[in-house]
Amino acid sequence: MSNSQDLKARRDAAVANGVATRGIYAVRAENSELWDADGKRFIDFAAGIAVNNTGHRHPKVMAAVAAQAEQFTHTCFHVAPYESYVALAERLNAATPGDFAKKTMMVTTGAEAVENAVKMARAYTGRSGVIAFSGAFHGRTLMGMALCGKVTPYKKSFGAMPPEVLHAPFPNEFHGVTMEASLAVLDNMFKSSIDPERVAAMIIEPVQGEGGFNIAQPEFLRALRKICDDHGIVLIADEVQAGIARTGKLFAFEHAGVAADLVTMAKGLAGGFPLSAVTGRAEIVDAAPVGGIGGTYAGNPLAVAAANAVLEVIEEEGLCARATEIGEVIKARLNAIADRQGMEAIGDVRGLGAMVAFELVTDRVTNNPDPALTQAIVAEAEARGLIILPCGTRANAVRLLPALTTPMDQVEEALDIIEASVEAAVNTTAQAAE
């Protein structure tokens, strides 16, 4: 039995079945590479699900964490606050879109950030309704689940959701949903389902994560901004996966040229350490009563030190521009593969910056999903030494999230593996159909 097989047996016996895992048991990682328990090397195009945007163990991040560990590791910001938290809040206030006074609070996970943003919006408006979008993922807590626009596996079996959470269709022209159609449904919701004067917040991912890397058009985000302004609704940008330089901007909403009232962020913020934040209009953030937001581990000193270093690395190494460069190379290669004879299974290639996906279909006439082929491609890539992930409401998209510090030769190596994996999976599927 290999070390990985042994670990899998132990995992099966000891860890909750509902915690989904892959078969790669990590023992070491550096920048864009990872080695498993059997010494096999992988190129990591998952980055801990968009967490390690600055790569595994970036030297500057590790040095900042080590220096903080020499001072203290935890005091609880509510009990004995510290300057680094204040400094990071100042940075995020300045970095997020919007020319208005802002404030920040920190917690630990993306779901916590979303929960607190909703609490702030409700406290500020005195309303309770929230509008989210189909295909959305906003976390696994009770409110997070309610906001999610994807039932399996995030809502299935978990009972009733909080009330007054509604979903409008996310525009996705590949799936036949235009921006105009989405806005028309939203307008009808205000006539048939909920009075806009009862809506506290509207929350949207500028690029959907779990939903399939679907990109909200800038015009759509600008339209939502106007709707929220017209009705006094707080607009929340969920930048948990798309933020922190991933799309070629520090925040994906910047592509639209408008600002949300509140921004939630996590994942890439602290380079592998658990940290999330809500940044937004000072008057909205301050609407919560004293003691109403926060948490024991919220704004942990080690994670805050890491986040301050991450923001410096992004600026010093030009990682926003690097994200655009990497994304263009990936999309060009994927489009070339899709255009080849026999590669009709790739129905769509899409992405913003280094947040790229390709969608697998049975044919390009119906665009019916092919989740089995998707899983086969992910497995083929893993066998060849590349970590990639599936996503999408139809479980038929492959998402690529390389570290923004990935050397270009490793990007090309990964693309070679993807090409070989797609060819192998498509050929195997075709032979099985004969």
Side-chain angles (χ1 to χ4, degrees), residues 322-363:
R322 179 76 171 152
T324 299
E325 179 187 7
I326 289 174
E328 288 175 351
V329 169
I330 292 173
K331 284 188 289 185
R333 183 71 171 275
L334 290 175
N335 281 316
I337 297 169
D339 289 343
R340 278 181 20 213
Q341 185 77 22
M343 287 296 148
E344 291 80 8
I346 299 178
D348 192 36
V349 174
R350 55 183 177 264
L352 196 59
M355 190 173 183
V356 183
F358 58 102
E359 187 161 347
L360 285 308
V361 295
T362 56
D363 62 87

Coordinates of all heavy atoms in Angstrom, one line a residue, residues 322-363:
R322 N 0.3 40.4 -14.5 CA 0.7 39.0 -14.6 C -0.5 38.1 -14.8 O -0.5 37.2 -15.6 CB 1.6 38.6 -13.4 CG 2.0 37.2 -13.5 CD 3.2 37.0 -14.4 NE 3.7 35.6 -14.2 CZ 4.4 35.0 -15.1 NH1 4.5 35.5 -16.3 NH2 4.8 33.8 -14.9
A323 N -1.6 38.4 -14.1 CA -2.8 37.6 -14.2 C -3.3 37.7 -15.6 O -3.8 36.7 -16.2 CB -3.8 38.1 -13.2
T324 N -3.3 38.9 -16.1 CA -3.8 39.1 -17.5 C -3.0 38.4 -18.5 O -3.5 37.7 -19.4 CB -3.8 40.6 -17.8 OG1 -4.7 41.3 -16.9 CG2 -4.3 40.9 -19.3
E325 N -1.7 38.4 -18.3 CA -0.7 37.7 -19.2 C -1.0 36.2 -19.2 O -1.1 35.6 -20.2 CB 0.7 38.1 -18.8 CG 1.8 37.4 -19.7 CD 3.2 37.6 -19.2 OE1 3.3 38.2 -18.1 OE2 4.1 37.2 -19.9
I326 N -1.0 35.7 -18.0 CA -1.2 34.2 -17.9 C -2.6 33.8 -18.5 O -2.7 32.8 -19.2 CB -1.1 33.8 -16.4 CG1 0.3 33.9 -15.9 CG2 -1.7 32.4 -16.2 CD1 0.5 33.6 -14.4
G327 N -3.6 34.6 -18.2 CA -4.9 34.3 -18.7 C -5.0 34.3 -20.2 O -5.7 33.4 -20.8
E328 N -4.3 35.3 -20.8 CA -4.4 35.3 -22.3 C -3.7 34.1 -22.9 O -4.1 33.6 -23.9 CB -3.7 36.6 -22.7 CG -4.5 37.9 -22.5 CD -3.8 39.2 -22.8 OE1 -2.6 39.1 -23.1 OE2 -4.4 40.2 -22.8
V329 N -2.6 33.7 -22.3 CA -1.9 32.5 -22.8 C -2.8 31.2 -22.7 O -2.9 30.4 -23.6 CB -0.6 32.3 -22.0 CG1 0.0 30.9 -22.3 CG2 0.4 33.4 -22.4
I330 N -3.4 31.1 -21.5 CA -4.3 29.9 -21.3 C -5.5 29.9 -22.3 O -5.8 28.9 -22.9 CB -4.8 29.9 -19.8 CG1 -3.6 29.6 -18.9 CG2 -5.9 28.9 -19.6 CD1 -4.0 29.8 -17.4
K331 N -6.2 31.1 -22.4 CA -7.3 31.1 -23.3 C -6.9 30.9 -24.7 O -7.7 30.2 -25.5 CB -8.1 32.4 -23.1 CG -8.9 32.6 -21.8 CD -9.7 33.8 -21.8 CE -8.9 35.0 -21.6 NZ -9.8 36.3 -21.5
A332 N -5.8 31.4 -25.2 CA -5.4 31.2 -26.5 C -5.1 29.7 -26.8 O -5.6 29.2 -27.9 CB -4.1 32.0 -26.8
R333 N -4.5 29.0 -25.9 CA -4.2 27.6 -26.0 C -5.5 26.8 -26.0 O -5.7 25.9 -26.8 CB -3.3 27.1 -24.9 CG -2.8 25.7 -25.0 CD -1.9 25.4 -26.2 NE -1.3 24.1 -26.2 CZ -0.3 23.8 -25.4 NH1 0.4 24.7 -24.7 NH2 0.2 22.5 -25.4
L334 N -6.4 27.1 -25.1 CA -7.7 26.4 -25.0 C -8.5 26.6 -26.2 O -9.2 25.6 -26.7 CB -8.5 26.8 -23.8 CG -7.9 26.4 -22.4 CD1 -8.7 27.0 -21.3 CD2 -7.8 24.9 -22.2
N335 N -8.6 27.8 -26.8 CA -9.3 28.0 -28.0 C -8.7 27.3 -29.2 O -9.5 26.8 -30.0 CB -9.4 29.5 -28.3 CG -10.4 30.3 -27.4 OD1 -11.5 29.8 -27.3 ND2 -10.0 31.4 -26.9
A336 N -7.4 27.2 -29.2 CA -6.7 26.4 -30.3 C -7.1 24.9 -30.2 O -7.4 24.3 -31.2 CB -5.2 26.6 -30.2
I337 N -7.2 24.4 -29.0 CA -7.6 23.0 -28.8 C -9.0 22.8 -29.2 O -9.4 21.9 -29.9 CB -7.4 22.6 -27.3 CG1 -5.9 22.6 -26.9 CG2 -7.9 21.2 -27.1 CD1 -5.7 22.5 -25.4
A338 N -9.9 23.8 -28.8 CA -11.3 23.7 -29.1 C -11.6 23.7 -30.6 O -12.5 23.2 -31.1 CB -12.1 24.8 -28.4
D339 N -10.7 24.5 -31.3 CA -10.9 24.6 -32.8 C -10.4 23.5 -33.6 O -10.7 23.4 -34.8 CB -10.2 25.9 -33.2 CG -10.9 27.2 -32.8 OD1 -12.1 27.1 -32.4 OD2 -10.2 28.2 -32.8
R340 N -9.7 22.5 -33.0 CA -9.2 21.4 -33.7 C -10.3 20.4 -34.1 O -11.3 20.3 -33.4 CB -8.1 20.7 -32.9 CG -6.8 21.4 -33.0 CD -5.6 20.8 -32.3 NE -5.9 19.4 -31.9 CZ -5.5 18.8 -30.8 NH1 -4.8 19.5 -29.9 NH2 -5.7 17.5 -30.6
Q341 N -10.1 19.6 -35.1 CA -11.0 18.6 -35.5 C -11.1 17.6 -34.4 O -10.2 17.1 -33.8 CB -10.4 17.9 -36.8 CG -11.3 16.8 -37.4 CD -12.5 17.4 -38.2 OE1 -12.4 18.6 -38.6 NE2 -13.5 16.7 -38.4
G342 N -12.4 17.2 -34.1 CA -12.6 16.2 -33.1 C -12.7 16.8 -31.7 O -12.9 16.0 -30.7
M343 N -12.6 18.1 -31.5 CA -12.6 18.7 -30.2 C -13.9 19.5 -29.9 O -13.9 20.4 -29.2 CB -11.4 19.6 -30.0 CG -10.1 18.8 -29.8 SD -10.1 17.8 -28.3 CE -9.1 16.4 -28.8
E344 N -15.0 19.0 -30.6 CA -16.3 19.7 -30.4 C -16.8 19.6 -29.0 O -17.8 20.2 -28.6 CB -17.3 19.1 -31.4 CG -17.0 19.5 -32.8 CD -16.0 18.6 -33.5 OE1 -15.6 17.6 -32.8 OE2 -15.5 18.8 -34.6
A345 N -16.2 18.8 -28.1 CA -16.7 18.6 -26.8 C -16.4 19.9 -26.0 O -17.1 20.1 -24.9 CB -16.0 17.4 -26.1
I346 N -15.5 20.7 -26.4 CA -15.3 22.0 -25.7 C -16.3 23.0 -26.3 O -16.1 23.5 -27.4 CB -13.8 22.5 -25.8 CG1 -12.9 21.5 -25.2 CG2 -13.7 23.8 -25.2 CD1 -11.4 21.8 -25.3
G347 N -17.3 23.3 -25.5 CA -18.4 24.1 -26.0 C -18.1 25.6 -25.8 O -18.5 26.4 -26.6
D348 N -17.3 25.9 -24.8 CA -17.1 27.3 -24.4 C -15.8 27.5 -23.7 O -15.4 26.6 -22.8 CB -18.2 27.9 -23.6 CG -18.2 29.4 -23.5 OD1 -17.8 30.1 -24.5 OD2 -18.5 30.0 -22.4
V349 N -15.0 28.5 -24.0 CA -13.8 28.9 -23.2 C -14.1 30.3 -22.7 O -14.4 31.2 -23.5 CB -12.6 28.9 -24.1 CG1 -11.4 29.4 -23.3 CG2 -12.3 27.4 -24.6
R350 N -13.9 30.6 -21.5 CA -14.2 31.9 -20.9 C -13.3 32.2 -19.7 O -12.8 31.3 -19.1 CB -15.7 32.0 -20.5 CG -16.1 31.0 -19.5 CD -17.6 31.1 -19.2 NE -18.0 30.0 -18.3 CZ -18.6 28.9 -18.7 NH1 -18.8 28.6 -20.0 NH2 -19.0 28.0 -17.8
G351 N -13.1 33.5 -19.5 CA -12.3 33.8 -18.3 C -12.0 35.3 -18.3 O -12.2 36.0 -19.3
L352 N -11.6 35.8 -17.1 CA -11.2 37.1 -16.9 C -9.9 37.0 -16.1 O -9.8 36.5 -15.0 CB -12.2 37.9 -16.1 CG -12.2 39.4 -16.1 CD1 -12.3 40.0 -17.5 CD2 -13.3 40.0 -15.2
G353 N -8.8 37.6 -16.7 CA -7.5 37.4 -16.1 C -7.1 35.9 -16.0 O -7.4 35.1 -16.9
A354 N -6.5 35.6 -14.9 CA -6.1 34.2 -14.7 C -7.2 33.4 -13.9 O -6.9 32.6 -13.1 CB -4.8 34.1 -13.9
M355 N -8.5 33.6 -14.3 CA -9.6 32.9 -13.8 C -10.3 32.4 -15.0 O -11.2 33.0 -15.6 CB -10.5 33.8 -13.0 CG -11.6 33.2 -12.2 SD -12.4 34.4 -11.1 CE -13.6 33.3 -10.3
V356 N -9.9 31.2 -15.5 CA -10.3 30.7 -16.8 C -11.0 29.3 -16.6 O -10.6 28.5 -15.8 CB -9.1 30.5 -17.7 CG1 -9.5 30.1 -19.1 CG2 -8.4 31.9 -17.8
A357 N -12.0 29.1 -17.5 CA -12.7 27.8 -17.5 C -13.0 27.4 -18.9 O -13.1 28.2 -19.8 CB -14.0 27.9 -16.7
F358 N -13.2 26.1 -19.1 CA -13.8 25.6 -20.4 C -14.9 24.6 -20.0 O -14.8 23.8 -19.1 CB -12.7 25.0 -21.3 CG -11.9 23.9 -20.7 CD1 -12.1 22.5 -21.1 CD2 -10.8 24.1 -19.9 CE1 -11.4 21.5 -20.6 CE2 -10.0 23.1 -19.4 CZ -10.3 21.7 -19.8
E359 N -15.9 24.7 -20.8 CA -17.1 23.9 -20.5 C -17.3 22.8 -21.5 O -17.1 23.0 -22.7 CB -18.4 24.8 -20.6 CG -19.6 24.2 -20.2 CD -20.8 25.1 -19.8 OE1 -20.5 26.3 -19.7 OE2 -21.9 24.7 -19.7
L360 N -17.6 21.6 -21.0 CA -17.6 20.4 -21.8 C -19.1 20.0 -22.1 O -20.0 20.0 -21.2 CB -17.0 19.2 -21.1 CG -15.4 19.2 -21.0 CD1 -14.8 19.3 -22.4 CD2 -14.9 20.2 -20.1
V361 N -19.4 19.7 -23.4 CA -20.7 19.4 -23.9 C -20.7 18.2 -24.7 O -19.7 17.8 -25.2 CB -21.3 20.6 -24.7 CG1 -21.4 21.8 -23.8 CG2 -20.4 20.9 -25.9
T362 N -21.9 17.6 -24.8 CA -22.0 16.4 -25.7 C -21.9 16.8 -27.2 O -21.4 16.0 -28.0 CB -23.4 15.7 -25.4 OG1 -24.4 16.6 -25.7 CG2 -23.4 15.2 -24.0
D363 N -22.4 18.0 -27.5 CA -22.3 18.5 -28.9 C -22.5 20.0 -28.8 O -23.1 20.5 -27.9 CB -23.3 17.8 -29.8 CG -24.7 18.0 -29.4 OD1 -25.3 19.1 -29.8 OD2 -25.3 17.2 -28.6

